Amino acid sequence: MIKDNDYVSYLQSPIGFMEIRANKKQIIGIQFVEKRDPYENTNFIIQEALKQLEEYFMGERKNFNFPFKFSGTLFQKRVWEELIKVPYGETLSYGDIAKSIGNFKASRAVGNANNKNKLLIVIPCHRIIGADGNLRGYRGEVWRKKWLLKHENKYLL
C-alpha cells in the first residue's frame, strides 16, 4: 500500500525484485519482494537510488550517496550507524557490532536490529555473520546474503 506522500519503484536485481520507497526528500525503504505492485510512483530520489543500486550490482559502486532515512529505536539506529561503517566486502560478527556500540552482551539484540533494517544493501546487514563465521538469518533470506558477500568479494580491488 502506497501512502499519499510516498513514492515507490522496483528494480529487477540478479537476486530478485527490490522495492524502493521514498518520501519527497529521501529513500525510506529498500526491500526484496516476491512481485511488483503494478502501481509505481517515482521521483528523482528513487531514480538516483535505482541508478546506484544497478551500479552496485554491476560491481561499479561500493558506497551509496543518495539521501536516506532510517526509522527505529535509538538502539537500532546505533546498530545501523555501525553497520554503515563496515567496509565493502568485509564481514564482522554480531558480537563485534555489539562491542563497537559499547554493549558487549548485545549480540542477539544486534541480530534483532539487523532483522528490522528496512534499507537492505545500503545499510549492509548482509556483512554481519556469526562469531563462528557462519551466515545467520537475513531479512532478504540467507541465500541472498551469501550471494551479496560473494558478489562484493568478486569486486574487491
Side-chain angles (χ1 to χ4, degrees):
M1 171 79 51
I2 299 173
K3 297 178 187 174
D4 289 338
N5 295 328
D6 280 358
Y7 299 87
V8 65
S9 190
Y10 297 87
L11 172 68
Q12 175 63 63
S13 81
I15 51 178
F17 281 116
M18 299 188 79
E19 179 182 83
I20 295 91
R21 289 186 171 270
N23 59 29
K24 290 181 181 179
K25 297 180 181 178
Q26 61 244 359
I27 298 297
I28 57 173
I30 299 174
Q31 301 292 314
F32 289 102
V33 294
E34 291 300 314
K35 60 182 179 175
R36 298 171 70 133
D37 187 316
Y39 178 77
E40 288 189 55
N41 181 22
T42 190
N43 65 5
F44 71 95
I45 294 167
I46 285 184
Q47 292 302 318
E48 184 59 29
L50 287 167
K51 176 180 166 272
Q52 290 186 30
L53 285 164
E54 287 172 349
E55 291 169 351
Y56 169 84
F57 282 112
M58 290 186 295
E60 298 171 358
R61 176 173 290 277
K62 295 180 175 144
N63 298 299
F64 300 94
N65 59 14
F66 52 80
F68 60 86
K69 175 184 178 186
F70 42 77
S71 299
T73 67
L74 287 175
F75 179 82
Q76 289 168 340
K77 289 177 182 179
R78 284 177 54 208
V79 169
W80 299 332
E81 287 166 357
E82 285 301 310
L83 296 183
I84 292 169
K85 297 175 187 175
V86 179
Y88 180 93
E90 294 185 22
T91 58
L92 291 175
S93 73
Y94 296 96
D96 292 332
I97 298 298
K99 289 173 192 164
S100 71
I101 62 171
N103 197 339
F104 297 89
K105 297 183 180 186
S107 297
R108 192 166 289 189
V110 167
N112 288 332
N114 277 3
N115 187 47
K116 303 288 189 244
N117 175 15
K118 293 181 183 175
L119 292 164
L120 297 181
I121 300 177
V122 174
I123 298 175
C125 57
H126 63 277
R127 296 180 190 150
I128 309 307
I129 61 174
D132 60 2
N134 288 322
L135 302 184
R136 301 282 186 256
Y138 178 60
R139 186 175 190 152
E141 298 184 39
V142 174
W143 70 268
R144 285 189 178 108
K145 183 175 194 167
K146 183 177 181 179
W147 189 96
L148 291 166
L149 291 171
K150 187 175 179 181
H151 170 73
E152 290 183 3
N153 279 300
K154 180 174 155 184
Y155 291 103
L156 281 176
L157 297 178

